[in-house]
Amino acid sequence: MTETVHRRFRRQVAERRGLLLPGAANALAARVIADMGYEAVYLSGAGLTNTFLGLPDLGFVSLPEIAQHTAAIADVVDIPIVVDADTGFGNALNVQHTVRVLERAGASAIQLEDQVSPKRCGHFTGKDVVPASEMVSKIKAAVDARHDGDLMIIARTDARAVDGFQAAVDRAGAYAEAGADILFIEAPESREEILALPKAVDVPQLVNIVVGGRTPALPRAELAAGGFALVLYANVALQGAVYGMQNALKGLMDAGIMDESAPVASFKERQRLVRKEAFDDLERRYTAG
């Protein structure tokens, strides 16, 4: 039997080898990530908010917007998609609806967090969390809602910044007992805290490295040896893209001219990434005499 994309991701997570998980803000970024040979992609709520709305990560995106982008990514890549679903857009009943919508859209894993709504970026100040019991109910609802048992539920806690490291670990344990497949303790603040997490709760874990954020960056090899299943760089592609756009546009402004000798992707490369040639072949096929 052919291994489904969901089952493949579940197997990859179980290996706990520090799988690098780059984030995409849109389908083109996901195409680049898949084209580079990465084994999975993360639809970043922060990245989507920044690029689609031009706003900060303060809970502005909606479920239909996330579902639309999930479906667009699923249509152009064949690697597992991890989807950031923020707080699940309401209570446990809303979470059930969220999981069903995103599963139909093509998610292989759905991330839910325990922040008070409207949430904010995990590396911003001013966060707060709901009671652990409320999040436990949401996780149970998410687990019950999935149709494919290989769809994975990721439980994120932001309690480290609110109640301290041990409180975050305690919440993670409760979320695992509720049925979460992967744990995500957001924003540990030292190497010691990071490496303590896989030992604290024996469930596959994700570590989120935010370039410029609160969590120190450790080498993937060290994180894999420490027992992490996933190493998330949710917005490194976006930050690189912003840097590239700024530099290209500055070059254009300074010189008043730009061609393919500039440090930009070529026209040909841009068309290759969106598979223009394949669509040309389809057009010839459907218009053949």
Side-chain angles (χ1 to χ4, degrees), residues 213-258:
R214 294 176 174 271
T215 300
L218 301 183
R220 179 219 167 208
E222 184 175 4
L223 294 168
F228 280 99
L230 300 168
V231 179
L232 173 63
Y233 278 84
N235 286 293
V236 72
L238 173 57
Q239 287 173 258
V242 169
Y243 182 79
M245 285 190 287
Q246 290 171 333
N247 278 279
L249 291 168
K250 183 179 186 303
L252 175 60
M253 180 177 286
D254 291 346
I257 186 173
M258 183 165 286

Side-chain angles (χ1 to χ4, degrees), residues 1-5 7-8 11 148 150:
M1 184 188 308
T2 303
E3 186 178 47
T4 66
V5 67
R7 185 161 297 174
R8 182 167 85 241
R11 174 177 54 77
D148 186 336
D150 285 322

Side-chain angles (χ1 to χ4, degrees), residues 8 28 45 55-57 114 126 145 147 151 166 204 217 220 271 274:
R8 182 167 85 241
L28 178 59
L55 295 174
D57 184 20
D114 61 3
H147 292 289
L151 174 72
Q166 188 57 50
R220 179 219 167 208
Q271 305 315 317
V274 296

Side-chain angles (χ1 to χ4, degrees), residues 24-28 30 41 43-44 47-49 51-53 61-77 81 83 102 105-107:
N26 51 47
L28 178 59
V41 63
L43 174 54
S44 163
L48 177 58
T49 304
T51 58
F52 187 55
L53 300 176
V61 293
S62 66
L63 175 58
E65 289 165 337
I66 290 176
Q68 176 188 2
H69 283 78
T70 301
I73 291 172
D75 200 39
V76 297
V77 303
I81 306 167
V83 179
L102 295 179

